[in-house]
Amino acid sequence: MFDDVGSVMTKVLKFGLWLILGISIIGSLVGYLMAGMSGVFGALAGGSAVLIFTGMTALSILIGSKLPLAGFVGAVLGGWLIKMVLFLIMFTLLDKASWLTLEARPIVFFTIVASVIGGLILDTRIVSKARFPVVTGKP
Amino acid sequence: MHLETVAAAAVGMTGSLGNVGYGLAAIGAGIGIGLVVSKTIESIARQPELASRLQVTMWIGIAFTEALALIALATPFIFGK
């Protein structure tokens, strides 16, 4: 009947996975037409990068909501810090990858942008439809 | 420091401009997320019964703030090389 942090974040993770999978498939098709197999790999790499990036935030809040306030802050901000370092390493490796041709590079960028914008629309919709009780505790 | 000294140091600079871009992208998102989280802590301290709603609202704030950082991190794929 009513939602809590756990149910909202589970919904976000579930629908977000499907959305990014769909965008990655469309990106792969466009990538294949534009740059061959390199475009397909580029779209998949971009999609998985966004999935990890946005999924880690939702997961950190899901874990943090079960902890006391200090633990919650530590989980969210610590998760963000780890994520940024992981991303720096990931993008550096992707930037130097020999299989990513010059034609396939825009595919990575546009898959990331489309997944991020699509994910934000989905998140806003799920949160705006969620029903939270204002009063907690037993009646 | 004299301008000539700064100019001489800049001439000898090597490395990727992408690293500077990464740093700039992280600054904005870092400040933004810090603000969002600090205001949420304040609000939960004032009204603990709203913690669940505030945590989810905070998460939307974080998602929008970090979206810009993520797009900025991906820009070398279109503007680089």
Side-chain angles (χ1 to χ4, degrees):
Chain A
M1 193 162 82
F2 286 111
D3 289 299
D4 60 355
V5 181
S7 67
V8 171
M9 290 301 141
T10 313
K11 240 185 255 181
V12 162
L13 284 170
K14 194 169 74 180
F15 290 116
L17 177 72
W18 287 111
L19 177 85
I20 292 172
L21 200 68
I23 291 172
S24 299
I25 291 169
I26 295 167
S28 302
L29 288 173
V30 177
Y32 185 74
L33 294 174
M34 280 179 69
M37 281 315 281
S38 183
V40 175
F41 293 137
L44 293 177
S48 44
V50 177
L51 188 66
I52 297 166
F53 201 86
T54 53
M56 262 185 82
T57 314
L59 208 62
S60 69
I61 291 174
L62 188 62
I63 295 165
S65 66
K66 294 183 175 72
L67 302 170
L69 194 56
F72 171 72
V73 175
V76 174
L77 292 182
W80 191 79
L81 183 68
I82 294 167
K83 188 169 61 180
M84 288 305 270
V85 175
L86 279 179
F87 255 69
L88 179 63
I89 297 166
M90 187 178 168
F91 279 134
T92 308
L93 291 176
L94 205 59
D95 200 30
K96 288 177 180 161
S98 57
W99 50 265
L100 196 67
T101 59
L102 206 62
E103 293 80 32
R105 291 171 73 85
I107 303 290
V108 181
F109 178 76
F110 286 114
T111 310
I112 289 174
V113 172
S115 304
V116 167
I117 293 170
L120 285 177
I121 294 167
L122 181 81
D123 299 347
T124 312
R125 193 174 161 75
I126 289 172
V127 172
S128 62
K129 287 211 174 282
R131 298 176 71 226
F132 291 103
V134 176
V135 180
T136 54
K138 288 177 185 171
Chain B
M1 196 182 280
H2 292 292
L3 197 61
E4 290 82 13
T5 320
V6 176
V11 169
M13 269 176 71
T14 53
S16 169
L17 200 60
N19 293 336
V20 181
Y22 168 75
L24 291 174
I27 288 174
I31 294 171
I33 288 171
L35 281 174
V36 172
V37 174
S38 75
K39 290 291 174 190
T40 308
I41 296 167
E42 268 181 33
S43 309
I44 293 175
R46 280 174 197 270
Q47 280 181 291
E49 70 273 13
L50 283 180
S52 196
R53 176 181 283 191
L54 289 170
Q55 281 168 351
V56 173
T57 313
M58 179 195 83
W59 171 72
I60 280 287
I62 290 180
F64 273 89
T65 312
E66 73 180 11
L68 275 179
L70 183 52
I71 292 170
L73 285 176
T75 46
F77 290 104
I78 193 153
F79 298 124
K81 293 200 176 171

